C-alpha cells in the first residue's frame, strides 16, 4: 500500500509495523545495524551501527532476507533525477515533491507581477504538472491509479485553475505482464479512458535530465518535459547478495538455496525473499512469496525433529492491482480466475486490511479509509526544522 501512503489515502504509520514490539513479544533481541561482513568459518556476523561503530554477533543459524533495490539499468540520469517507490521514505519524499510542484505551479503566473497568464507561463505550468511514471508493473500501475485519483479529485477542487494543465504519462514496455491478456486489456482501457493516463507501450527510457526525459518508442523517439518522474521499472540485488561468496543462480543475481531454503554449500545459512531463488523451482519476487517463506522457515527452525520438515511449496493466493477510480483487478484466486471493477476493489482493500500484522494497524487503516472518504486525502506537508537566527 505504498502508493496509497504516497498520496495521503492512508498514513504510513497505519501500514507499517514497528519491529521492536514484535521482537519484544517473542522475548528476542533486536539490534538496529547494518551487516558489513560474514565470517562463515567462525560463524560471526560483523555489524555496524548507525553511528559507525562496529561489533560482532555470533550465530548458530543465519537467515538472509534483505530483499532487492530499485534497478536503474544504468540509464544516464535516473539516479540523479528520478524519484523511486520502494521504501516508506520514498513515499514521503514523493508526496512532499508533488505538493511542492503544485504550489510552484499556483504562483507561477504571479512572478512577473502580472496575474494574467502568458503563453510562456502556460508552458511552464504544464511542465510542472506533467507527471511521468516509468514501469507498468503493479507498483507503477497502482501509483498511476492513486496519483490520478488525487489529481482529479483533491487537486482539481483545491487548485481549480490548474486542472487543465495536468498531464500523466506512463512509459513501459508492457503492462501488468503477470496477469492474463484480458486483464491487461481491461487495465489499459481503464487507465486511458477513466484515469486519463497516457500509456505508452513498447517504451524504453534512454536518458533522464533534470526536466526532460528521452524515450524510444519502437523506431521513433520522443522527449517530454516533466515536473515529476517516478521510477517503478524493476529491481536488482543489493551488493550484500554478491559480496559474501554465497552460491548464486546462473545470472548471478540471487542466492541459490535448496528446497528447504538453505543456502547451497553453506552450513547453517538460509536465504528467503527476493534475494534468494530455489534451485529448479522459480518463484516470482513478490511479498506473498517472501511471507510464506518466512513462515515456513520459522516453523522449520523451531522443529526439533528435522525429519518432519517437508520442502517449501508456494501456494498462490492470487494477484491483484488497484487501477484508480475505485476499480481493481484480481486474478488466480482460489476457485475464481478473475474479478474486475468495484468488487475487485473491495477485495483488494479487504486483502490488504487482513494482511496487516496487528489489530492496531487494521484499526488505523480502517479509520484512514473512513477519513479519506469523508474529508479527502491528507495534504499535510511538514516544513523544515527550526533554525534560530
Amino acid at each position: 500500500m505504498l502508493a496509497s501512503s504516497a498520496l495521503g489515502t492512508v498514513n504510513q504509520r497505519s501500514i507499517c509495523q514497528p519491529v521492536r514490539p514484535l521482537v519484544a513479544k517473542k522475548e528476542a533481541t533486536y539490534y538496529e545495524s547494518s551487516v558489513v561482513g560474514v565470517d562463515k568459518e567462525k560463524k560471526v556476523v560483523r555489524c555496524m551501527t548507525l553511528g559507525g561503530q562496529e561489533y560482532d554477533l555470533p550465530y548458530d543459524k543465519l537467515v538472509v532476507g534483505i530483499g532487492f533495490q530499485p534497478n536503474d539499468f544504468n540509464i544516464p540520469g535516473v539516479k540523479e533525477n528520478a524519484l523511486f517507490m520502494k521504501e516508506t521514505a520514498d513515499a514521503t519524499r514523493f508526496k512532499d515533491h508533488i505538493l511542492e510542484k503544485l504550489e510552484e505551479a499556483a504562483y507561477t503566473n504571479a512572478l512577473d507581477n502580472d496575474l494574467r497568464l502568458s503563453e510562456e507561463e502556460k508552458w511552464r505550468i504544464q511542465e510542472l504538472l506533467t507527471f511521468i511514471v516509468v514501469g507498468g508493473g503493479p507498483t507503477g500501475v497502482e501509483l498511476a491509479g492513486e496519483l490520478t485519483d488525487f489529481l482529479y479529485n483533491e487537486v482539481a477542487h483545491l487548485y481549480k485553475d490548474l486542472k487543465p494543465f495536468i498531464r500523466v504519462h506512463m512509459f513501459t514496455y508492457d503492462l501488468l505482464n503477470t496477469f492474463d491478456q484480458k486483464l491487461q486489456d481491461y487495465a489499459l482501457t481503464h487507465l486511458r479512458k477513466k484515469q486519463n493516463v497516457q500509456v505508452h507501450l513498447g517504451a524504453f527510457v534512454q536518458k533522464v535530465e533534470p526536466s526532460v526525459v528521452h524515450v524510444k518508442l519502437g523506431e521513433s523517439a520522443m522527449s517530454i518535459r516533466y515536473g515529476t518522474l517516478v521510477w517503478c521499472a524493476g529491481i536488482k540485488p543489493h551488493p550484500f547478495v554478491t559480496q559474501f561468496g554465497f552460491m548464486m543462480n546462473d545470472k548471478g543475481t540471487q542466492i541459490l538455496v535448496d528446497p528447504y531454503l538453505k543456502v547451497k554449500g553453506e552450513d547453517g545459512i538460509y536465504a528467503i525473499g527476493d534475494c534468494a531463488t530455489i534451485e529448479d523451482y522459480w518463484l516470482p519476487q513478490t511479498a506473498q512469496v517472501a511471507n510464506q517463506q518466512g513462515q515456513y522457515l520459522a516453523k522449520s527452525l523451531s522443529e526439533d525433529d528435522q525429519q518432519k520438515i517437508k520442502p517449501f511449496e508456494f501456494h498462490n493466493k492470487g494477484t491483484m492491482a488497484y487501477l484508480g477510480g475505485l476499480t481493481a483487478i484480481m486474478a488466480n484466486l482460489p476457485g475464481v480466475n478473475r474479478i474486475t471493477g468495484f468488487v475487485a476493489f473491495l477485495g483488494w482493500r479487504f486483502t490488504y486490511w487482513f494482511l496487516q500484522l496487528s489489530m492496531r494497524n487494521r484499526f488505523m487503516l480502517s479509520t484512514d479509509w473512513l477519513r479519506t472518504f469523508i474529508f479527502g486525502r491528507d495534504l499535510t506537508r511538514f516544513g523544515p526544522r527550526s533554525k534560530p537566527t
Side-chain angles (χ1 to χ4, degrees):
M1 300 197 70
L2 203 59
S4 296
S5 70
L7 277 309
T9 305
V10 300
N11 289 316
Q12 291 180 9
R13 291 182 179 87
S14 302
I15 60 173
C16 294
Q17 178 66 50
V19 173
R20 190 163 291 280
L22 295 176
V23 173
K25 185 178 180 180
K26 296 295 183 180
E27 298 183 355
T29 305
Y30 171 65
Y31 299 95
E32 185 174 8
S33 303
S34 58
V35 173
V36 295
V38 177
D39 189 327
K40 292 180 283 188
E41 293 184 1
K42 296 181 179 180
K43 290 193 170 183
V44 171
V45 174
R46 187 69 174 169
C47 305
M48 178 183 290
T49 68
L50 297 177
Q53 299 168 299
E54 294 191 5
Y55 61 95
D56 291 336
L57 280 179
Y59 70 85
D60 295 309
K61 305 292 183 182
L62 175 64
V63 180
V64 181
I66 62 171
F68 264 33
Q69 62 179 327
N71 192 352
D72 65 342
F73 301 100
N74 295 319
I75 297 173
V78 173
K79 290 180 181 178
E80 297 80 6
N81 302 304
L83 299 174
F84 296 92
M85 194 55 58
K86 193 73 170 67
E87 313 289 348
T88 52
D90 295 334
T92 300
R93 184 186 176 199
F94 179 80
K95 180 182 176 183
D96 288 345
H97 176 87
I98 293 290
L99 294 176
E100 288 170 5
K101 292 299 179 181
L102 289 168
E103 294 301 328
E104 186 177 351
Y107 62 64
T108 293
N109 68 312
L111 295 178
D112 61 355
N113 301 317
D114 182 356
L115 296 183
R116 292 175 297 181
L117 273 175
S118 65
E119 288 301 316
E120 183 179 346
E121 288 169 342
K122 290 180 181 180
W123 281 109
R124 175 56 181 161
I125 293 173
Q126 183 167 311
E127 176 185 324
L128 290 168
L129 300 182
T130 295
F131 304 91
I132 294 177
V133 178
V134 180
T139 300
V141 168
E142 292 192 351
L143 182 63
E146 290 280 359
L147 177 60
T148 47
D149 282 349
F150 171 69
L151 293 174
Y152 295 114
N153 287 283
E154 280 78 9
V155 172
H157 175 68
L158 299 173
Y159 301 85
K160 294 181 180 179
D161 294 337
L162 300 183
K163 183 178 179 181
F165 299 98
I166 294 173
R167 303 287 186 276
V168 179
H169 295 266
M170 174 181 284
F171 292 105
T172 179
Y173 177 72
D174 52 22
L175 190 75
L176 297 174
N177 58 17
T178 57
F179 291 81
D180 63 42
Q181 191 61 50
K182 287 187 177 181
L183 289 178
Q184 291 180 39
D185 293 341
Y186 179 91
L188 180 61
T189 300
H190 180 85
L191 288 173
R192 283 175 169 171
K193 294 186 177 181
K194 299 295 180 63
Q195 301 301 119
N196 294 320
V197 179
Q198 299 182 47
V199 182
H200 307 269
L201 297 177
F204 295 91
V205 174
Q206 303 292 298
K207 182 180 180 181
V208 179
E209 297 183 46
S211 59
V212 182
V213 59
H214 305 278
V215 185
K216 182 179 180 182
L217 290 167
E219 298 299 322
S220 62
M222 65 182 298
S223 298
I224 294 182
R225 300 190 67 85
Y226 67 87
T228 302
L229 187 148
V230 58
W231 192 266
C232 309
I235 53 177
K236 66 179 180 181
H238 290 280
F240 181 96
V241 173
T242 58
Q243 68 185 9
F244 291 118
F246 299 128
M247 188 176 294
M248 307 294 290
N249 63 357
D250 293 338
K251 297 180 179 179
T253 56
Q254 291 175 287
I255 300 171
L256 194 63
V257 300
D258 65 17
Y260 302 92
L261 306 184
K262 187 176 181 180
V263 177
K264 301 281 290 186
E266 303 292 348
D267 178 31
I269 301 180
Y270 302 80
I272 60 175
D274 289 354
C275 69
T277 185
I278 302 173
E279 187 175 29
D280 299 324
Y281 185 36
W282 180 88
L283 293 172
Q285 292 170 282
T286 64
Q288 185 179 170
V289 172
N291 181 54
Q292 291 186 28
Q293 288 180 339
Q295 293 178 348
Y296 166 87
L297 191 56
K299 293 179 180 179
S300 297
L301 295 178
S302 301
E303 178 60 59
D304 294 329
D305 186 359
Q306 295 295 302
Q307 299 298 321
K308 294 181 180 180
I309 301 174
K310 298 180 180 180
F312 173 77
E313 185 177 351
F314 172 62
H315 299 282
N316 191 349
K317 297 180 180 179
T319 54
M320 62 193 74
Y322 178 60
L323 306 178
L326 306 183
T327 298
I329 55 176
M330 304 179 73
N332 303 319
L333 299 170
V336 182
N337 190 30
R338 63 176 71 91
I339 304 175
T340 61
F342 184 69
V343 174
F345 165 74
L346 293 177
W348 175 81
R349 278 205 165 178
F350 174 78
T351 299
Y352 278 106
W353 180 88
F354 181 77
L355 290 174
Q356 298 303 308
L357 295 179
S358 66
M359 285 306 301
R360 162 193 172 273
N361 279 33
R362 290 171 185 161
F363 172 78
M364 294 175 66
L365 188 57
S366 299
T367 57
D368 282 349
W369 282 333
L370 179 62
R371 180 257 306 159
T372 298
F373 177 75
I374 298 174
F375 302 108
R377 290 171 176 80
D378 179 19
L379 301 184
T380 304
R381 179 161 55 103
F382 298 101
R385 294 177 296 174
S386 298
K387 295 181 180 179
T389 57

